[in-house]
Amino acid sequence: MSGAAPAGAAPAGAAPAGAAPGGAAPAGGAARDPRLVRLQAGGAPALVVVDVQRDFGEPSRIAPYGLDDAASAAVDAAIDRIGSLVDEARAAGVPVVWVELGSDPAAPWRSSAWLRGGDPDGPMAEDEPCVLGTSGAEWYRTTPAPGETRVVKRGYSGFLGTDLEARLTAAGIGWLTVVGLTSECCVFATAQDAMQLGWPVVVPRDATAAYDVDVHEAALTMIGLNVGVVTDADETVDLWHAAATDGAAAAAGTAGPAGVGAR
């Protein structure tokens, strides 16, 4: 989901000395961020896919947001990368969790209506995105597989008013990769809540996007400062494989992480 870019925050989460700036993937032989190295012993990972829905990704539906060519290309590329990450996660035995907006006409979001200049006590606006039961709420160019967890939210964060925290805890998930649309809004909100609830968070910069490239870069800066490590999809997959190898060795041949959807 897309919204206003977050206001400034204290630089409490600055990357440690020797790490790539902003938690980016190492380049030119640079050492991997030590925080990512520690994830190999940090428990089972999960991939959280946020709001890759028609109302937030389909070109004709997002055109009113005024994307320029660069932003349109970035959204398209991010959706492709998210789809490939979903495939990689499944192949690596990493649970995929789907977080989707479901706007309910019977329970309009008062503060969102007010923020967008509408009547906070009026009926839901006709242009409200991802209304339950409509085509705009459908997943776009990637879709949950049978048995994978789906969490329907009413606001920005996948944790707000849902059982996502309980599901991840019950499944023994140790850290999260958060991807989706858009970087400054629902991806940011979900990643921030995950971090505040105790999960280390990795955000691949090429598996999320905003409707303005400068807003996207600002969101990644905010995430890298106070929420998680910003890397890329290729390094994320490497981390999953490393976690699987270490987990298999520790479990001496027992089964890998249980799917969240089975909980």
Side-chain angles (χ1 to χ4, degrees):
M1 186 172 181
S2 179
R32 173 167 284 172
D33 188 312
R35 295 170 295 181
L36 298 181
V37 175
R38 293 188 189 101
L39 289 180
Q40 292 177 214
L47 173 64
V48 180
V49 182
V50 180
D51 287 6
V52 187
Q53 295 164 267
R54 292 181 66 183
D55 273 347
F56 295 137
E58 196 168 62
S60 63
R61 294 173 184 262
I62 63 176
Y65 291 103
L67 287 72
D68 61 17
D69 290 345
S72 295
V75 170
D76 181 71
I79 293 172
D80 277 346
R81 201 66 185 97
I82 292 164
S84 65
L85 266 182
V86 168
D87 293 340
E88 293 273 11
R90 290 169 178 160
V94 173
V96 183
V97 179
W98 301 81
V99 173
E100 58 198 283
L101 180 66
S103 300
D104 185 355
W109 187 3
R110 295 182 69 254
S111 55
S112 178
W114 167 81
L115 185 62
R116 291 183 293 156
D119 180 0
D121 297 312
M124 182 173 284
E126 292 184 1
D127 62 350
E128 191 74 21
C130 300
V131 175
L132 290 169
T134 68
S135 60
E138 295 171 355
W139 288 96
Y140 180 60
R141 287 165 45 188
T142 188
T143 190
E148 290 179 338
T149 293
R150 295 177 64 170
V151 175
V152 179
K153 62 185 176 67
R154 300 289 187 259
Y156 294 156
S157 171
F159 291 93
L160 180 65
T162 74
D163 64 351
L164 180 55
E165 179 185 6
R167 290 185 184 222
L168 294 173
T169 300
I173 299 302
W175 59 278
L176 302 177
T177 300
V178 180
V179 302
L181 302 172
T182 57
S183 52
E184 89 291 355
C185 192
C186 294
V187 170
F188 182 94
T190 300
Q192 184 178 58
D193 278 357
M195 181 269 186
Q196 293 184 120
L197 289 167
W199 281 283
V201 174
V202 173
V203 176
R205 64 172 57 248
D206 51 347
T208 183
Y211 302 151
D212 180 292
V213 294
D214 291 334
V215 170
H216 176 60
E217 289 303 320
L220 294 178
T221 297
M222 291 292 294
I223 290 169
L225 283 172
N226 296 310
V227 175
V229 174
V230 178
T231 182
D232 63 22
D234 288 341
E235 186 168 30
T236 298
V237 173
D238 288 346
L239 292 169
W240 291 342
H241 288 305
T245 299
D246 289 356
T254 60
V260 180
R263 301 292 173 143

